[in-house]
Amino acid sequence: MRRLYSYFRSSASFRVRIALGFKGLPYEYVPVHLTKDGGEQFVPAFRALNPDALIPVLDDDGRVLTQSLAIIEYLDETHPEPPLLPRDALERAYVRAFALGIACEIHPLNNLRVLRYLVRQLGADDDAKNAWYRHWVEEGLASLEARVLAEGRSGRHVLGDTVTLADVVLVPQIFNARRFDCRLDHVPTLMRICERCLELAPFVEAQPESQPDAE
Ligand SMILES: N[C@@H](CCC(=O)N[C@@H](CS)C(=O)NCC(=O)O)C(=O)O
């Protein structure tokens, strides 16, 4: 039995949903509401699964995995076809660097708990919070756009015409950016890649509005 602890809006969960769909792996969707009653991620039963109080969590037949990128690489290693990482070591490093450019440089700065801290502990108002959010997304995506253009390796996807981990991480970040009205006209290549990805079923089926807990 495979269970994914997820929230429809969670972009880190969205990454894992895409990967599961891409590999054709069925799973039970376990919703964890991140804001209701202060957040279900903080209840003891969930913290017992993940002391970080973060989703996604994948329970693969009793083996509990955390961190979306580690989960996706685990899925890729245990279900190699179709692959999400290239065989070539340099290409793999390129794809991982792109994915980490989002997962380490953009996303953690704009995570719910960080935004809450800005508001509750540091007294930021809505405008300040949104300015913070947009700043890190717009700047982070701009550098990824520059990297992709400089490398000249993109096609339909970040690396040529094949879906990789880079696309799996890019699309959820663009959804987040849209939700917070970030500027996106300065990243046309990333937007074009996102559109191509959204022609594919695993991306469409994993999107927030397609989830059982969508509001
Ligand atoms: N680096 C982690 C990030 C996980 C993460 O930040 N998840 C968010 C949702 S996208 C979360 O659970 N936030 C709850 C909170 O901030 O309280 C991963 O890639 O899995």
Side-chain angles (χ1 to χ4, degrees):
M1 169 67 86
R2 197 178 289 112
R3 283 200 187 95
L4 179 67
Y5 294 78
S6 172
Y7 178 55
F8 74 109
R9 278 205 189 103
S10 153
S11 63
S13 305
F14 189 174
R15 298 170 193 157
V16 176
R17 298 193 302 254
I18 296 168
L20 285 164
F22 187 73
K23 302 280 181 186
L25 300 174
Y27 62 96
E28 182 191 335
Y29 188 104
V30 184
V32 179
H33 202 295
L34 294 185
T35 59
K36 198 170 69 187
D37 301 328
E40 291 175 350
Q41 70 274 34
F42 300 115
V43 306
F46 184 78
R47 268 197 195 271
L49 274 181
N50 185 5
D52 290 337
L54 295 172
I55 51 167
V57 171
L58 182 74
D59 179 340
D60 191 19
D61 248 332
R63 290 162 300 216
V64 176
L65 294 110
T66 60
Q67 287 291 345
S68 61
L69 267 54
I71 296 173
I72 293 169
E73 292 219 15
Y74 164 81
L75 292 172
D76 203 41
E77 287 165 19
T78 51
H79 300 85
E81 293 300 327
L84 277 170
L85 283 165
R87 281 179 188 281
D88 178 78
L90 272 176
E91 289 191 343
R92 244 187 349 263
Y94 176 63
V95 163
R96 284 187 174 128
F98 183 98
L100 292 169
I102 292 173
C104 295
E105 309 302 336
I106 302 178
H107 181 265
L109 290 164
N110 289 341
N111 196 6
L112 181 61
R113 60 185 178 173
V114 171
L115 301 180
R116 275 189 177 147
Y117 191 85
L118 284 176
V119 171
R120 293 180 187 170
Q121 266 72 33
L122 302 183
D125 61 14
D126 253 16
D127 285 348
K129 181 187 83 175
N130 291 335
W132 165 281
Y133 193 106
R134 291 178 190 132
H135 172 77
W136 296 115
V137 170
E138 291 169 7
E139 187 178 273
L141 290 180
S143 53
L144 290 171
E145 171 86 10
R147 166 69 60 88
V148 164
L149 288 180
E151 294 280 343
R153 296 199 234 181
S154 68
R156 290 178 62 81
H157 299 290
V158 173
L159 181 67
D161 294 322
T162 309
V163 170
T164 65
L165 176 68
D167 305 286
V168 168
V169 177
L170 172 64
V171 171
Q173 183 59 59
I174 298 291
F175 271 63
N176 273 357
R178 285 207 179 107
R179 195 156 73 84
F180 278 80
D181 288 329
C182 298
R183 232 188 98 212
L184 289 166
D185 58 348
H186 64 312
V187 294
T189 315
L190 302 185
M191 295 307 288
R192 180 182 48 72
I193 292 169
C194 183
E195 276 166 34
R196 295 288 85 79
C197 289
L198 288 168
E199 291 167 2
L200 306 174
F203 287 84
V204 175
E205 287 163 9
Q207 65 188 343
E209 61 259 43
S210 309
Q211 305 317 301
D213 57 341
E215 289 166 5

